[in-house]
Amino acid sequence: MKRERRLLVASLAIAASGCGGDGTFEMLGPSTPPAPRFREIQAAILSPRCALAGCHAAPAPAQGMDLSPGVSHASIVSVPSTELAAFDRVRPFDPAGSYLLLKLEGDAVIVGERMPFGGPYLSDAEIATVRAWILAGAPND
């Protein structure tokens, strides 16, 4: 009987370790970090690295792609690329179909130069941030 009781106590302790405190149970283990927010990408990457005079900013943004705050999302998400029509600039949930990402990576399929033009190029971590945002559906948040 003592052995059964110890097993019961041990089982309850294990179960309680996954309890969220409100009577619900949580899965233990590694969690997926939240997808980056577009406003973070705008502030950290697009505004300082792309939306520059003579590049992707008004009055005459290169390729008609204005990456300035407030207009960039509408300028890139689900908008066909002007260089390769088979791609969208950003295709939600599809990094491989997102020409902007291919330009940032310097993929062999791109037309013209890797972006940002002339470098310095985005770090692997910055590119991974853009990729994660696209994989999350490229929300405007």
Side-chain angles (χ1 to χ4, degrees):
M1 190 64 144
K2 280 187 173 185
R3 182 170 185 255
E4 291 170 349
R5 192 166 139 180
R6 279 186 288 188
L7 285 174
L8 177 61
V9 169
S11 297
L12 290 173
I14 291 169
S17 69
C19 181
D22 60 357
T24 62
F25 287 91
E26 301 170 5
M27 294 298 294
L28 299 178
S31 62
T32 304
R37 297 190 177 280
F38 184 68
R39 65 177 172 257
E40 295 163 352
I41 292 170
Q42 181 72 54
I45 298 171
L46 299 180
S47 289
R49 306 285 297 275
C50 309
L52 307 170
C55 291
H56 295 287
Q63 301 295 324
M65 184 169 58
D66 190 343
L67 297 178
S68 301
V71 296
S72 58
H73 192 273
S75 185
I76 59 175
V77 177
S78 300
V79 174
S81 164
T82 58
E83 290 184 342
L84 286 177
F87 294 90
D88 283 347
R89 290 175 175 167
V90 171
R91 186 173 294 154
F93 307 106
D94 184 8
S98 297
Y99 195 64
L100 176 86
L101 184 64
L102 300 178
K103 290 287 276 192
L104 295 174
E105 294 173 330
D107 192 277
V109 74
I110 66 170
V111 173
E113 300 294 321
R114 181 178 181 180
M115 292 292 137
F117 182 74
Y121 303 121
L122 272 58
S123 68
D124 290 343
E126 290 170 316
I127 291 172
T129 297
V130 174
R131 177 183 297 283
W133 169 71
I134 293 170
L135 278 170
N140 189 7
D141 54 0

